Structure formats: C-alpha cells, structure tokens
Amino acid sequence: MTDKHAASLSRTAYGGRAWARAKTFLIVAGALLVTAAVPAHSEYRLHAGDVIELSVAGAPQLGLRVPVQLDGTLTFPLVGTLEARRQTVSEIRDRIQTALASKVLRLHAADGQEFLRAVEREDIAVSVVEYRPVVVSGDVARPGEVTFRSDMTVRQALASAGGLLSSPTAPAYDVAGLRSDFVTAWLSLAAHNTRVWRLKSELGENEPFDRSAVPPLPIHEADLAAIQELEIAYRDANREDHRRQKEYLASSIAQADEHIDVLTQQRAVEEQGAAVDTAELERSSELLANGTVRHDRVADARRAVLLSSTRLLQTRAQLMQVRRLRQDLARELEKLDSGRTMALVQQLQEATIKLASERERLRSVEQKLQLAGGQVPLATVPNQPPEVIVYRYGGRDGPVTLRADYDRMLEPGDVLEVTMVSSIIKQVTQ
C-alpha cells in the first residue's frame, strides 16, 4: 500500500469516526426512548419473542435485528451467542459493547472505498424494538394477541380486542356484525313504537307508554327514555303549532268582522249621500227646464251624483271582498282540526305498517344470531365492570396472578382473562 493510499484511508477512517461520534448521542437517545415503552418502575427483562436491534454509529451495514429464541439466547455476528432470558437491556448492551469494543473492522464508505474502523463502546447501541404481545381472552369481541404499546393499560388492551361482549360466554367466532344489526333493528323498532304512541296521544288517546311493547333493551334505559322524550317534545311542538294556527285564524276572522261592520256603516252613509245627490240632480234639472238655473249648476249636480255613486260601488265591492275572505278563513278554521286529524291518522297508519316491518326484521336478525351460535345483546347492569385477571410470567418470582382494573399498567407478555360479572341475557319473545 502506497503512502498516498494509506493517508487517504486514514482520513476516511478519521472522518468516519468523527461522524460516528456525532451520531452517538442520537442513537443512544433513541434507544432510551424505545426502552421506555415498558413501565418505568422496573427495568424490563427479556424473554423469548422480544426483538433486539443492534446498531453501530457510522456503520449501518452492521445494524441488524435479532429475536430472542425459544431457548432464551441471542446470536449476533462478531459477538456470538448470548444468554438473554431474564436479562435487562443494559446487561445485554454491556456484554455486546465488551465483545465489540476495540475491534478493528473493515468497512466500506458510501463511495465504495474500503477503510478500517475501530469500534468504541459509545458507538454501540442496543434496544428493544418489538415486545412480546399481550394476550386477551374471555368475554371480548376478538380474543387473541394484541400488540404491546408504550404505557399500555387494561382499558387499551380491551379496546384493541374489540371491546366487551354483552354475553357471559363469547361465541366461537365473530358475530359482531349480527349483533350490530340487532341493535340497529331494535332502535328502529323502539323509535316506531314511540312514534305510534305519540300519534295516538295526539289523536286523543291519553294512555301511558307501554314498555312491554318494546323487546328487552340492548341499550341502557336512559337511551330509550331519550327516544321517548324526543317524541314527546315533537308532540308538544306540534300541538303548540296547531294552537297558534287556530288563534291566528280566529283573530283574522274577528278582524274581518270588524272590517265588515265598518264597511257596512260606510255603505249606509254613502247610500244616503248618493240619494241626496240624486234628488239634488232631479231638482236642478226641473229648475233648468223652468229656466231658473244655469247649466253649470246641473253639471255640478251630475258630477256629485257620479262621485257618490262611484264611492258607493267601491265600498260595496270592498265589503263583498272582506265577506268572502271571512268565509274562507272560517272554512279554513273548520278544516284545520279535521285536516290535522286526517294527517295524524295517515301517519299512524304508515307508522303501524313500518312498526310491523321492523318487528319482523328484528325477529329475523335474532334468528340469524341463534343460528350463528350467538345470543341477543342486552344492556349490562350499570357500574359493573368486568372481572380482569392478569397472568404475568417470567418474573424473578415466577408466575404472578393479579386482579386488575381498567387503569392497570401492563407489561409485555401479560395474559388477560376477562369475565363479565353481571349481564342480562334473554331471548326476545315478542
């Protein structure tokens, strides 16, 4: 090797070491963040199924991910096989750093040039990139493995497993779609039952709402009460609107009567005035024939008769128009009650037909659930959370059994057994 070539390799190696030291802090920080995915009160100990990542700053070709084998060992090139079962990440990192520290490796730069590189302890980062999954079993929609996440709680694990089942025994396969259809059909049936009751009450049947007409609830009682309250609010608003329409028509009729009275009195006055003007015209015409008055006076009398006759005709026409309007308002007031009754009867007929259809649809979904081996979902008793038992394996003290609540922090590899404490399971008999 020439001196020039050696100098070039020396500069390349020096540059690689400088760049490596610049990235050391970032890699170590990233390793610390990943390791923090387990609970902070104790350092996590490795078990079969965990995946370890080894990275060397400035040497991406040395980075690799290795799973902990069933026998609890890890195998890395240049390091060999290490016992990892129940070892912490720090202990594994120290052993790998000890094995690789001060070794001179032959590496390749980005431009393809080959250089020698001495690995230092701070250049080596070891972290856990994938933990053993959490297993959820029992009364959940999708029992099985759940990917472990940082600071995972029992609540999050149950949500990842599809949530709780209303049945104390989960079916052997997923019937979530049929259960959702059942709840949807029940809500539609309950809404139409309540609508029929509301329409009957608007027609004068003051009977209380018959709860037995609705099958057992797959939702909480408050949800059915909310549906009923909405129908009551609609009924009250409809009645108030009807009352206001009647008041408006009655007020308009009263105003029309007053207008008719005024126009009748005005017509009587104008009829008297027209009669006086006609008599004056006749008298002026006689005087003109006798030669005692001029033509101008007769012309003025004719104009007065024409004006009074025109006013009388206008008043009569206006009076007829107001009387016709009053008749229309009276007819509309009479039709308001009958029209509302006819509309309510038609709505009741349509709602009754729809109610029968929804009841049959609910029965159909129930039969499908029975054929699928599922049970009808019904509302659980409020404030009764499920019983959750956590089985934790691989600790220093051996297997541990814990009774957990929703906020219990989990560790990789935990097994959750979920049991509904109290639930109401019945078949719809309606």
Side-chain angles (χ1 to χ4, degrees):
M1 181 183 297
T2 63
D3 293 341
K4 183 177 181 181
H5 189 201
S8 175
L9 290 177
S10 176
R11 287 193 300 271
T12 303
Y14 176 77
R17 286 194 297 273
W19 180 83
R21 290 189 181 93
K23 291 186 62 180
T24 299
F25 175 77
L26 296 176
I27 293 179
V28 173
L32 292 176
L33 287 175
V34 174
T35 306
V38 297
H41 60 271
S42 63
E43 189 171 3
Y44 177 67
R45 296 186 176 274
L46 300 173
H47 294 276
D50 295 328
V51 179
I52 305 301
E53 182 178 58
L54 168 66
S55 59
V56 180
Q61 57 268 46
L62 295 181
L64 72 162
R65 295 185 176 185
V66 177
V68 179
Q69 302 299 318
L70 293 177
D71 59 359
T73 60
L74 285 170
T75 301
F76 289 101
L78 304 177
V79 177
T81 300
L82 302 175
E83 178 63 33
R85 188 192 304 273
R86 297 188 180 179
Q87 300 292 313
T88 66
V89 178
S90 300
E91 292 170 345
I92 297 296
R93 185 186 303 113
D94 289 340
R95 294 171 64 181
I96 294 177
Q97 288 176 342
T98 300
L100 291 181
S102 303
K103 282 191 176 182
V104 179
L105 305 178
R106 188 181 300 274
L107 305 174
H108 293 83
D111 56 2
Q113 293 186 0
E114 186 180 82
F115 64 93
L116 300 178
R117 162 79 186 281
V119 180
E120 301 179 8
R121 292 182 64 88
E122 61 270 19
D123 297 337
I124 302 171
V126 177
S127 61
V128 182
V129 294
E130 184 178 334
Y131 291 93
R132 292 176 295 158
V134 172
V135 178
V136 183
S137 62
D139 295 338
V140 291
R142 295 190 298 272
E145 294 184 351
V146 174
T147 302
F148 180 81
R149 302 297 183 191
S150 175
D151 297 330
M152 175 175 277
T153 63
V154 170
R155 189 188 307 275
Q156 295 169 339
L158 295 182
S160 299
L164 299 173
L165 289 178
S166 297
S167 169
T169 56
Y173 45 85
D174 186 12
V175 293
L178 289 175
R179 298 172 67 86
S180 177
D181 291 344
F182 181 89
V183 174
T184 301
W186 186 94
L187 287 172
S188 180
L189 177 65
H192 282 87
N193 255 312
T194 312
R195 185 169 295 115
V196 168
W197 168 79
R198 188 257 301 173
L199 291 171
K200 288 182 178 180
S201 66
E202 289 194 66
L203 288 172
E205 297 184 15
N206 296 322
E207 297 292 335
F209 181 70
D210 185 8
R211 305 299 292 273
S212 63
V214 182
L217 283 67
I219 59 176
H220 291 299
E221 184 76 18
D223 298 321
L224 179 59
I227 296 175
Q228 187 177 358
E229 288 175 0
L230 288 174
E231 289 294 336
I232 292 175
Y234 184 86
R235 180 196 64 188
D236 294 342
N238 197 11
R239 285 178 174 175
E240 179 64 18
D241 181 66
H242 180 69
R243 183 187 64 80
R244 289 180 178 179
Q245 289 184 13
K246 292 184 67 174
E247 289 182 352
Y248 171 77
L249 291 176
S251 175
S252 299
I253 291 174
Q255 292 178 4
D257 289 337
E258 293 178 359
H259 199 181
I260 289 173
D261 292 340
V262 172
L263 291 175
T264 301
Q265 295 176 8
Q266 182 178 348
R267 182 189 63 180
V269 172
E270 290 177 353
E271 286 177 348
Q272 293 177 0
V276 171
D277 292 338
T278 302
E280 179 63 24
L281 177 60
E282 292 177 353
R283 191 172 68 85
S284 299
S285 298
E286 291 177 358
L287 293 176
L288 178 63
N290 297 331
T292 58
V293 296
R294 299 174 55 185
H295 287 281
D296 295 342
R297 183 174 177 180
V298 175
D300 292 338
R302 288 176 178 173
R303 281 194 295 269
V305 171
L306 179 61
L307 180 60
S308 59
S309 299
T310 302
R311 285 199 302 265
L312 179 58
L313 288 175
Q314 291 176 347
T315 301
R316 287 175 176 174
Q318 189 174 3
L319 181 59
M320 293 177 60
Q321 183 178 4
V322 174
R323 284 176 174 173
R324 187 179 301 111
L325 175 62
R326 200 266 185 201
Q327 292 176 355
D328 293 339
L329 291 174
R331 189 180 301 110
E332 186 174 352
L333 180 60
E334 292 175 359
K335 292 174 57 178
L336 185 62
D337 289 333
S338 60
R340 178 173 180 270
T341 301
M342 292 178 61
L344 289 174
V345 170
Q346 183 177 0
Q347 293 177 22
L348 179 60
Q349 182 182 9
E350 295 174 354
T352 304
I353 295 174
K354 186 64 176 177
L355 177 62
S357 174
E358 292 300 323
R359 183 176 287 111
E360 290 302 320
R361 184 162 75 97
L362 186 66
R363 289 176 179 172
S364 175
V365 176
E366 178 201 356
Q367 292 174 0
K368 291 179 181 179
L369 270 172
Q370 293 174 351
L371 292 175
Q375 290 179 304
V376 174
L378 297 175
T380 57
V381 177
N383 302 322
Q384 291 292 330
E387 182 182 64
V388 180
I389 303 298
V390 177
Y391 300 96
R392 185 165 293 166
Y393 301 93
R396 288 182 175 180
D397 302 327
V400 178
T401 302
L402 305 171
R403 190 178 300 275
D405 57 14
Y406 280 141
D407 297 323
R408 177 81 185 194
M409 300 292 293
L410 299 178
E411 294 185 3
D414 284 350
V415 177
L416 278 67
E417 179 69 28
V418 183
T419 305
M420 296 298 296
V421 177
S422 177
S423 57
I424 304 173
I425 304 299
K426 297 179 181 178
Q427 297 296 329
V428 176
T429 59
Q430 299 294 327

